[in-house]
């Protein structure tokens, strides 16, 4: 075995580590998007990234942990939605949250990887658990923290149920006429319901 081969199969130099990790994560997102959670393997991710499977385990751990890291990157635009609520008057939170959330889905660049993640979560219990944990810790709790109400977490979950349910029907299942409805029409109808969950009696 040559020195070059040994370096390829072993851990990369420190200056190469960040690039290697990013390459693995990119390959993981593409593999999960193309094949879903069930049919994606650590070996397949490693092959797509051009590294030894041991490196995948070294940087991310198990297949579930690789999926969680990939989901966190893919879902980052949606997870950043609570940032749009900063300095928003309480009576406008529902409209801003609805518009920001649907805006992520309306953008083809962010919608395509999101669709792959949601499809995996809908078809696999492990993927669903990862998705649920990420949504709870990085989206719902951040929204709830902005509500000065005793049942803030329940309110945030009900608002999320409206938004996620709409996204699944419109973008995943493509149920008509919702799938073809104008985005502004959806915001106009959905925002008051979301507002009611967040700040209503």
């Amino acid at each position: 075995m040559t020195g070059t081969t040994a370096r390829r199969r072993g851990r990369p130099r420190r200056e190469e580590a960040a690039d290697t990790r990013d390459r693995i994560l990119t390959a993981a997102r593409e593999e999960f998007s193309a094949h879903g959670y069930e049919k994606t393997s650590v070996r397949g991710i490693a092959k797509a990234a051009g590294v030894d499977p041991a490196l995948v385990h070294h940087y991310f751990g198990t297949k579930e942990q690789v999926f969680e890291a990939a989901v966190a990157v893919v879902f980052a635009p949606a997870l950043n939605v609570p940032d749009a609520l900063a300095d928003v008057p309480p009576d406008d939170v529902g409209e801003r949250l609805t518009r920001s959330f649907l805006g992520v889905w309306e953008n083809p660049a962010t919608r395509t990887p999101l669709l792959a993640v949601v499809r995996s979560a809908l078809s696999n219990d492990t993927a669903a658990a990862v998705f649920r944990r990420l949504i709870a810790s990085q989206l719902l709790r951040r929204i709830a923290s902005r509500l000065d109400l005793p049942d803030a977490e329940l309110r945030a979950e009900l608002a999320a149920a409206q938004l996620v349910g709409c996204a699944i029907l419109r973008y995943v299942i493509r149920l008509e006429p919702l799938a073809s409805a104008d985005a502004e029409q959806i915001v106009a109808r959905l925002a008051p319901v979301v507002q009611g969950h967040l700040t209503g009696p």
Side-chain angles (χ1 to χ4, degrees):
M1 181 180 293
T2 66
T4 301
T5 303
R7 281 196 299 274
R8 186 184 301 122
R9 292 185 60 82
R11 296 181 182 180
R13 298 185 184 95
R14 180 174 299 175
E15 61 271 21
E16 298 172 344
D19 178 66
T20 301
R21 189 180 189 282
D22 289 344
R23 197 163 72 249
I24 292 171
L25 195 55
T26 298
R29 293 200 305 271
E30 292 173 351
E31 289 294 300
F32 285 122
S33 294
H35 308 296
Y37 186 87
E38 289 280 1
K39 296 181 180 179
T40 297
S41 66
V42 169
R43 185 174 298 277
I45 292 170
K47 182 178 180 181
V51 301
D52 189 85
L55 273 182
V56 180
H57 291 296
H58 168 67
Y59 285 112
F60 298 102
T62 64
K63 173 181 167 180
E64 180 179 344
Q65 290 170 314
V66 180
F67 180 74
E68 185 161 3
V71 170
V73 173
V74 168
F75 217 70
L79 296 176
N80 290 333
V81 164
D83 295 337
L85 304 181
D87 302 321
V88 174
D91 290 344
D92 296 334
V93 168
E95 191 273 340
R96 179 67 66 85
L97 179 59
T98 302
R99 185 175 298 281
S100 299
F101 185 83
L102 290 182
V104 172
W105 284 93
E106 285 293 303
N107 183 347
T110 49
R111 180 174 65 241
T112 300
L114 279 173
L115 284 172
V117 167
V118 172
R119 287 182 182 125
S120 288
L122 291 174
S123 62
N124 180 272
D125 289 342
T126 302
V130 170
F131 187 71
R132 184 167 56 247
R133 185 164 62 243
L134 195 64
I135 292 296
S137 64
Q138 296 195 36
L139 182 62
L140 297 180
R141 287 175 190 162
R142 290 176 62 200
I143 293 173
S145 69
R146 299 176 184 274
L147 304 176
D148 188 20
L149 294 164
D151 56 349
E153 288 193 15
L154 176 60
R155 288 172 176 271
E157 288 180 5
L158 288 170
Q162 295 287 160
L163 295 171
V164 174
C166 178
I168 290 175
L169 289 176
R170 177 172 169 85
Y171 305 104
V172 181
I173 299 175
R174 296 197 57 79
L175 183 68
E176 295 291 355
L178 178 60
S180 300
D182 180 73
E184 285 300 316
Q185 181 184 6
I186 296 173
V187 171
R189 289 182 175 272
L190 195 58
V193 181
V194 173
Q195 182 73 44
H197 286 313
L198 294 175
T199 62

